[in-house]
Amino acid sequence: MVEIEDLNEAFELCRGTFMSDPSALYSKKIDFPSDFIEGVSEAGPAERFCRILFPITAGVSLFAGLLAGAIGKDAVLGFSVFSAAACLGIPAGSLLAANVALRRANRQLNETGSMIISLKAAEDVAKSNALVMDSAEIFDRSRCEMNGIFEHGNIRLDLALLYAIALVLKSEGPLAEAFAKIVEGNIDLVPAVRSFVYEDRQGMSGTIENYHSVLLGNRTFLINHSVPVPSKSDEDKYKVKGRKLFYLAIEGKLSIMFSVTYVADESLMPYLKTINENGIQLLLRANDPNITEELIVEHFKLPTQKVKVIGAIAGRMFKRIRERRTKQAPARVLHNGSPYSLVRTVAACTSLSFRVRAAQIAQVAGVGFNLALIIVLALTSAAGKADAGFVIALQGASAALAVLIAAIKKIR
């Protein structure tokens, strides 16, 4: 899993999403993940948090020591209070909580061939604002169906079906398996498609055998290519139970109408929802006119503003980007290549980042409480009670709370 580094490519993919600073993630195959030791050694949020907090707590500890020494008129007491405050000002559970959360996340992710190498890597993923995928990856292709075939022309049905199958397979969309079933998986029977073109939200066309104009798409697509189509009232009779329609036209003549059903991959739903809730928009490449934001929202119950079907130009660019061979890349967030492991890992990164931040807030609250208590004891001349047992008890409670918060939410 990597981020699109070329800013022009990122802007093109995120066109129309109103992202001023796009940071788009996508899944990419690499031959060898490198720099493992360097990745593990990266300073994560817990380390950076301690660096920021230390000078503040050191100053407060010095103030508490001087205050206790002045009130008690005892330099030794002042130094003892300073030492106790300095110990209590250290967020002792911060690093432990962060690594407990990381270990817990990886134990669950390893089951599906995924891994987050460090908290810094998880944080970088969580800061992204887009995840780019192919639309075919989020549907259950084994359950997408062709519900009916309705003839409208005089061309041989078997020939027309082969042409439709050829275009659908060329599009690599979610219906590929459903159409391949017609030839029982004998792909050698399917003719080659030349000059394949997909027009946004309308359909696909190509040259097949002796026919230069084979069209497969919706009614708008055929109308724009001067092909007569049935009336909308006739069309609506077949749009039941969420079914969608395709038209096949050959050399300007309507041949077949298809009724099809798309089935969402339900295993992805909770993770896509988590990703959306954490500010990461889903961008989808599609070569299927029925794949629209409305269809995705309907099937996956996602907010409309968090889903975008990218245009044909951006889609072709994304395909080129993903197919670029990468021999070696830094090991940061890895998965086994499946859509399920991808979205689950991204969701885990967002959840992990949130939990670590929550644990840090708990640590700040704990440190603040501890130092405030020391100052109160100094003001009431009871600073002598801040002995080793007192310090250990407070730090233990603070660390336990941070660890509990970091580990409380499980990745489903």
Side-chain angles (χ1 to χ4, degrees), residues 131 133 138 272 276 280-284 302 306-308:
L131 173 64
M133 298 180 66
I138 67 171
L272 291 175
N276 268 191
I280 298 178
Q281 187 167 354
L282 183 64
L283 305 181
L284 296 171
L302 299 174
K306 290 293 185 179
V307 177
K308 173 72 176 176

Side-chain angles (χ1 to χ4, degrees), residues 18 21 31 56-57 70 115 122 132 140 158 170 182 193 195 201 207 276 278 288 293 302 355 385-386 389 400:
F18 304 105
D21 186 20
D31 293 342
I56 299 171
T57 57
M115 180 181 70
V132 193
D140 188 340
D158 59 342
K170 185 71 174 180
I182 298 175
V193 179
S195 306
R201 302 172 186 270
T207 299
N276 268 191
N278 285 274
D288 183 326
E293 288 86 356
L302 299 174
R355 282 182 286 158
K385 294 181 179 180

Side-chain angles (χ1 to χ4, degrees), residues 219-254:
R219 65 181 294 111
T220 303
F221 185 53
L222 267 62
I223 290 171
N224 289 343
H225 284 266
S226 302
V227 179
V229 295
S231 66
K232 278 201 170 186
S233 58
D234 288 341
E235 191 179 79
D236 290 342
K237 293 187 294 185
Y238 303 101
K239 289 183 176 180
V240 295
K241 299 180 180 178
R243 293 174 182 174
K244 304 294 180 181
L245 301 180
F246 267 127
Y247 289 108
L248 177 72
I250 301 174
E251 298 293 358
K253 296 180 180 179
L254 182 62

Side-chain angles (χ1 to χ4, degrees), residues 186-200:
N186 296 316
I187 307 302
D188 293 340
L189 299 174
V190 181
V193 179
R194 303 187 305 278
S195 306
F196 178 86
V197 176
Y198 173 71
E199 296 182 26
D200 285 345

Side-chain angles (χ1 to χ4, degrees), residues 151-213:
E151 295 183 69
H152 285 273
N154 296 322
I155 191 169
R156 285 171 43 195
L157 180 61
D158 59 342
L159 195 62
L161 283 174
L162 285 176
Y163 291 173
I165 295 167
L167 284 169
V168 171
L169 293 182
K170 185 71 174 180
S171 74
E172 301 175 339
L175 294 172
E177 288 188 26
F179 275 69
K181 288 177 183 177
I182 298 175
V183 292
E184 298 180 346
N186 296 316
I187 307 302
D188 293 340
L189 299 174
V190 181
V193 179
R194 303 187 305 278
S195 306
F196 178 86
V197 176
Y198 173 71
E199 296 182 26
D200 285 345
R201 302 172 186 270
Q202 293 189 37
M204 60 201 87
S205 61
T207 299
I208 304 178
E209 294 182 337
N210 297 323
Y211 295 101
H212 296 288
S213 176

Side-chain angles (χ1 to χ4, degrees), residues 358-372:
Q360 289 173 354
I361 291 171
Q363 284 281 275
V364 169
V367 167
F369 174 80
N370 294 344
L371 293 177

Side-chain angles (χ1 to χ4, degrees), residues 313-332:
I313 295 174
R316 290 193 293 271
M317 184 181 70
F318 172 62
K319 186 178 180 181
R320 289 196 303 271
I321 292 171
R322 195 158 67 167
E323 289 177 351
R324 291 173 190 162
R325 183 175 179 184
T326 302
K327 293 184 178 181
Q328 186 171 297
R332 292 179 61 76

